[in-house]
Amino acid sequence: MRSIRTRFDTGFLVIVIGSMAGAIVAALWTSPWWALGIALGGEAVALGWWLRARRARRTRPDAPGQLRAARALRQSRLRAQLHDVRDAVGALADAVVLFDDQGRVRWFNAAATRLLGVRREHVGQSLAQWLDGSELGAWLRTNAAQPATDLPAPADASLRLAATIIPFGQRLKVLLARDISTLSRLEQVRRDFVANVSHELRTPLTVIHGYLELLDPADVPELAPVLGEMRMQSQRMQQIVEDLLTLSRLETREALPDEEVAMIPLLETLRREAVALSQGRHRISVEATTGVRLRGSIHHLHSAFSNLVSNAVRYTPSGGEIVIGWRQTADGGAIFSVRDSGLGISAEHLARLTERFYRVSSSRSRESGGTGLGLSIVKHVLNLHQGRLVIESEPGRGSTFSCVMEASRVLPPDHGGIFRAETPAN
Ligand code: ADP
């Protein structure tokens, strides 16, 4: 294929030479004016040709050489961009490991070597296999769908990691691991501080409370109201310290004992506790539509459920209704619930209720003997049983607190009966 430049050069020469020859012939055989006209006409056509060819050359790189050059330029730009992206990911402080659907390593950055110990020879090998024996490896094999926090770094056990897996494209995934050692240390300092302060306060408070109990208001009648208030406040402080210690212990536990919790007798115990606390002010009933049991810690589950029951009693005005429920779900799980017809909670508070010391109304919580830590304890106990707390509420109409337990925590009933009991309000 002839190039545009060759075609242009030949055509241009033919027109110029042709017009010059025409002009000479015209000068010899006709008049000089004819010769001048032919010469100028030829030059004009040649100029027009040249201009068209130049425009075509600029807009149409149809020569194979030019196409090759353009392609090479594009490729080198893409290569440069790819290098920039790789350099940027390579310089990240977070470990990044790219792997395929078979779990084989395709690429990793420098932080992955520092935190996870990935090296060049691991490329093509199974990610979970070379992390075998580490907590990160166990997480990758069993629970990688959920992000993990606070795992020891395989390459340096003094460092703590938060890890997550991000799928992308058709077959690729990225393991992202972030060094959270500083955050984890601060969290540990906070936990230790709260646990130590609570522990240190326990003995002096017991002593003060003991002496206050010894003082008989009848001996000093003028101080009787003061003594009563002091006793109440020291009791409240003791309860706060006990709840803080419970929370600290729960935070440091990775698991609780696995016992068989018979729910029907536990529901009856909870009902009796509610009746005692209510002192006849509420209608209290149990609705159990299943006899299934739970696998977990009897002591902690009892304490969490009884927290919800005592809240229902404390935040439901006299004459209200409280229903303690136990039912199975379609997926084989089960739900323990406490429904009340009490004060209710407006939507903006719901998400924060399980934070420590979060109260909708501090005065009401204090008056009813609350520490502001009850729901926080409930959440921790449920987390340790892989359960979750669901709160539904409407101001003025009441609330339902549901503990949703997974099927893996549900055990078959030891007897088939369905249990219903009711205590009417006085
Ligand atoms: P407290 O010791 O103050 O009751 P909790 O952690 O048990 O602390 O509860 C946090 C807050 O949630 C309470 O202060 C109260 O405002 C609200 N709350 C909990 N249960 C109920 C309920 N059944 N009805 C209305 N409000 C509730």
Side-chain angles (χ1 to χ4, degrees):
M1 194 171 67
R2 286 196 315 149
S3 79
I4 192 165
R5 182 178 282 278
T6 325
R7 269 189 281 128
F8 159 71
D9 290 345
T10 320
F12 186 77
L13 276 174
V14 167
I15 292 169
V16 170
I17 293 169
S19 65
M20 295 304 263
I24 292 166
V25 170
L28 287 176
W29 298 101
T30 60
S31 73
W33 292 111
W34 270 103
L36 186 63
I38 290 171
L40 283 178
E43 299 312 313
V45 171
L47 185 67
W49 181 285
W50 180 75
L51 285 172
R52 236 186 65 207
R54 198 178 71 151
R55 201 167 53 235
R57 246 202 332 267
R58 276 195 184 159
T59 54
R60 256 196 311 142
D62 57 350
Q66 282 172 310
L67 281 175
R68 258 199 309 277
R71 206 176 299 135
L73 185 68
R74 220 174 23 244
Q75 278 175 349
S76 87
R77 274 200 202 125
L78 277 174
R79 249 198 311 275
Q81 277 172 358
L82 191 65
H83 271 117
D84 288 349
V85 173
R86 277 203 168 192
D87 287 350
V89 179
L92 284 179
D94 297 347
V96 179
V97 183
L98 186 67
F99 60 98
D100 61 22
D101 52 354
Q102 306 291 313
R104 286 182 302 239
V105 178
R106 297 269 290 259
W107 184 85
F108 60 92
N109 67 353
T113 305
R114 186 170 53 83
L115 297 173
L116 312 180
V118 199
R119 275 172 235 296
R120 213 178 268 273
E121 59 266 28
H122 293 130
V123 173
Q125 285 186 19
S126 156
L127 185 66
Q129 212 165 11
W130 60 256
L131 284 174
D132 206 19
S134 68
E135 282 187 39
L136 188 69
W139 167 75
L140 270 173
R141 261 193 312 278
T142 55
N143 200 21
Q146 300 291 328
T149 48
D150 218 9
L151 299 173
D156 181 350
S158 67
L159 300 178
R160 311 295 295 182
L161 298 180
T164 186
I165 300 262
I166 306 165
F168 76 98
Q170 293 274 304
R171 300 170 39 240
L172 294 177
K173 287 180 182 168
V174 166
L175 163 66
L176 263 182
R178 168 165 294 182
D179 180 358
I180 53 157
S181 310
T182 312
L183 204 69
S184 170
R185 251 192 308 275
L186 285 174
E187 183 63 14
Q188 186 60 46
V189 169
R190 179 194 67 77
R191 273 202 293 265
D192 290 350
F193 175 76
V194 174
N196 290 337
V197 168
S198 313
H199 196 76
E200 292 299 324
L201 283 175
R202 203 185 202 180
T203 314
L205 274 175
T206 311
V207 173
I208 292 171
H209 195 71
Y211 281 126
L212 283 173
E213 287 294 315
L214 281 180
L215 289 174
D216 188 350
D219 295 339
V220 270
E222 66 279 16
L223 288 181
V226 179
L227 266 180
E229 180 69 14
M230 284 167 79
R231 274 185 190 169
M232 206 180 73
Q233 294 299 341
S234 83
Q235 212 160 16
R236 221 171 81 74
M237 276 167 76
Q238 269 186 320
Q239 192 53 54
I240 291 176
V241 165
E242 286 309 319
D243 281 359
L244 279 173
L245 280 170
T246 305
L247 265 176
S248 298
R249 278 187 225 112
L250 287 172
E251 272 183 334
T252 50
R253 298 286 285 261
E254 301 228 318
L256 293 173
D258 260 352
E259 295 156 332
E260 292 181 1
V261 185
M263 284 299 289
I264 300 297
L266 180 56
L267 294 172
E268 176 51 17
T269 308
L270 292 169
R271 190 185 65 86
R272 269 191 270 112
E273 286 172 3
V275 169
L277 199 62
S278 157
Q279 297 187 327
R281 289 178 294 124
H282 308 95
R283 191 146 47 88
I284 298 167
S285 58
V286 172
E287 277 182 17
T289 55
T290 177
V292 289
R293 295 165 301 153
L294 275 179
R295 189 168 54 78
S297 155
I298 296 176
H299 167 74
H300 290 95
L301 286 172
H302 180 188
S303 131
F305 295 161
S306 113
N307 246 310
L308 297 180
V309 172
S310 103
N311 277 356
V313 174
R314 290 188 296 122
Y315 298 108
T316 302
S318 297
E321 184 181 9
I322 294 162
V323 181
I324 303 167
W326 179 234
R327 66 179 195 277
Q328 238 188 318
T329 54
D331 62 0
I335 297 179
F336 168 84
S337 62
V338 182
R339 189 176 82 230
D340 66 57
S341 62
L343 303 170
I345 307 154
S346 53
E348 73 265 24
H349 298 293
L350 293 183
R352 301 196 56 192
L353 284 186
T354 55
E355 288 174 20
R356 288 164 194 228
F357 297 114
Y358 189 88
R359 289 136 160 159
V360 177
S361 157
S362 303
S363 55
R364 205 187 302 264
S365 160
R366 241 173 257 127
E367 275 163 27
S368 63
T371 60
L373 295 166
L375 291 181
S376 204
I377 293 175
V378 173
K379 189 181 87 172
H380 272 81
V381 170
L382 291 182
N383 280 349
L384 286 165
H385 288 86
Q386 295 76 48
R388 62 197 164 86
L389 181 66
V390 177
I391 309 171
E392 295 153 291
S393 190
E394 214 180 306
R397 306 197 62 152
S399 318
T400 304
F401 287 74
S402 305
C403 304
V404 183
M405 312 302 286
E406 284 180 359
S408 61
R409 284 277 168 189
V410 174
L411 298 172
D414 46 4
H415 70 86
I418 289 174
F419 174 73
R420 253 175 234 283
E422 191 166 320
T423 308
N426 289 344

